[in-house]
């Protein structure tokens, strides 16, 4: 973002207000959509064992997103990438971005394969219930196996 100066926003209060209202409005819209999602989820799934299992299974990929997508990786990558761009070494910055993306994809892919394989083995080893009913743990494991690969895309 060459040429961007904070003073240009301060000297033009209308531009600053426009940006504030844009970010605030989009954040509010995102919150409303989240509320609609929660309402639909409660309506379709209910408030029982299924909802509890889904919430836990969905929290696991989201925790990885916070770690990889918004956490330490971002804090380490962005300053280095920005430094490369500011020095005018665009090709070096591209190579850095490709290398980081490749490593993250390979590591997350390996983790997903290991976890899904481990959960599949666990399902094969667990004793069957007499009535065949799904317990919360069994349902959570089944949902984690479905939702865990989603982690690759959100990280």
């Amino acid at each position: 973002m060459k040429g961007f100066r904070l003073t240009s926003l301060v000297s033009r209060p209308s531009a600053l207000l426009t940006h504030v209202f844009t970010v605030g409005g989009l954040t509010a819209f995102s919150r409303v959509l989240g509320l609609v999602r929660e309402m639909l989820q409660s309506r379709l799934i209910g408030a029982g064992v299924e909802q509890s299992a889904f919430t836990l299974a969905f929290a696991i990929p989201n925790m990885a997103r916070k770690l990889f997508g918004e956490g330490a990786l971002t804090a380490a990558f962005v300053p280095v990438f920005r430094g490369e761009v500011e020095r005018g070494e665009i090709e070096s910055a591209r190579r850095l971005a490709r290398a980081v993306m490749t490593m993250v994809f390979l590591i997350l892919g390996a983790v997903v394969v290991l976890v899904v394989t481990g959960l599949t083995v666990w399902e094969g080893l667990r004793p069957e219930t007499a009535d065949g009913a799904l317990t919360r743990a069994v349902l959570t494991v089944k949902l984690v196996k479905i939702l865990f690969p989603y982690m690759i895309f959100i990280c």
Side-chain angles (χ1 to χ4, degrees), residues 3 8 10 14 19 24-25 30-31 64-65 70 75 85 88 113 123 125 128 130 134 140 147 149 153:
S8 66
V10 175
S14 63
H19 293 298
S30 171
R31 301 294 180 184
R65 174 188 54 87
E70 300 168 1
V85 171
V113 167
E123 280 183 322
L125 296 177
E128 290 292 325
L134 289 176
T140 302
L147 292 174
F153 300 105

Side-chain angles (χ1 to χ4, degrees), residues 107-124:
I107 291 169
L108 289 175
V111 168
V112 166
V113 167
L114 287 172
V115 167
V116 170
T117 302
L119 292 175
T120 303
V121 168
W122 179 83
E123 280 183 322

